[in-house]
Each structure stands twice: as C-alpha cells, then as structure tokens.
Amino acid sequence: MQVDPLGIKTASKPLPSSDHVRSFLKSRAHLETTLERSSALKTIYGMRQELAGLWERSNDSREQLFARLQDWCHRAEASGVAQLAGILQGAIALERV
C-alpha cells in the first residue's frame, strides 16, 4: 500500500485498465465456450488445474502429496481421456528411471 500526500491509502500497483479487463473477460468467455464444446478438453483442463493445485500445498507432508497424486492418477486413468493416459504413461516412465 502507498499513501498519497493527503494520507489516503492507494494500491501499490496501478489498477488494470478497462481494456485489460475487457480482454481478460473476453478470453475467459472464450475459454468457457471452448470447454463447453468438448467434454474431453474440459476434463483435461479441470484435471490440470487440480494437479497444479496439488503442488501449491507446500505444507502437506510427502505422504499426503503422494496420496493425493495417486488419487489424481486413478481419476485421470478412469476418465478415459487418451491425453491424460499419455501423461500417466510418461510419469510411470520417469518413475522407473
């Protein structure tokens, strides 16, 4: 937070312009429309978001992370989406190295 000469607190970063906000909203709407049209892509996107969320849990123990990753892998495999199966095969190959 910054304080202006009158003592009013202001954001330390400038707020995004209305053009940036419109661009973001348009991109978000395009993503949502695309995901609605493809159940496989929607599944992949959702699973990717979940996987990214797993790594953000820095306070979890290794055992907790491993259990959550195993659960993610089982759900990815059960989804029937070929691209997710490819990710799993790559992870298994890395594990064997």
Side-chain angles (χ1 to χ4, degrees), residues 6-20:
L6 298 175
I8 299 172
K9 292 181 181 179
T10 60
S12 57
K13 294 182 182 179
L15 295 174
S17 70
S18 59
D19 290 340
H20 287 104

Side-chain angles (χ1 to χ4, degrees), residues 26-78:
K26 186 176 179 181
S27 296
R28 184 70 187 176
H30 180 69
L31 172 64
E32 290 173 7
T33 301
T34 302
L35 294 177
E36 287 174 7
R37 292 181 181 165
S38 171
S39 63
L41 189 57
K42 185 175 186 174
T43 299
I44 292 168
Y45 183 79
M47 294 294 291
R48 185 216 173 273
Q49 297 295 94
E50 287 182 37
L51 187 58
L54 286 177
W55 302 121
E56 292 174 0
R57 296 173 175 242
S58 59
N59 294 331
D60 288 352
S61 69
R62 291 181 72 187
E63 293 79 17
Q64 290 170 317
L65 284 172
F66 185 72
R68 286 191 177 96
L69 183 58
Q70 279 185 315
D71 176 60
W72 185 92
C73 290
H74 291 148
R75 289 184 297 110
E77 189 173 37

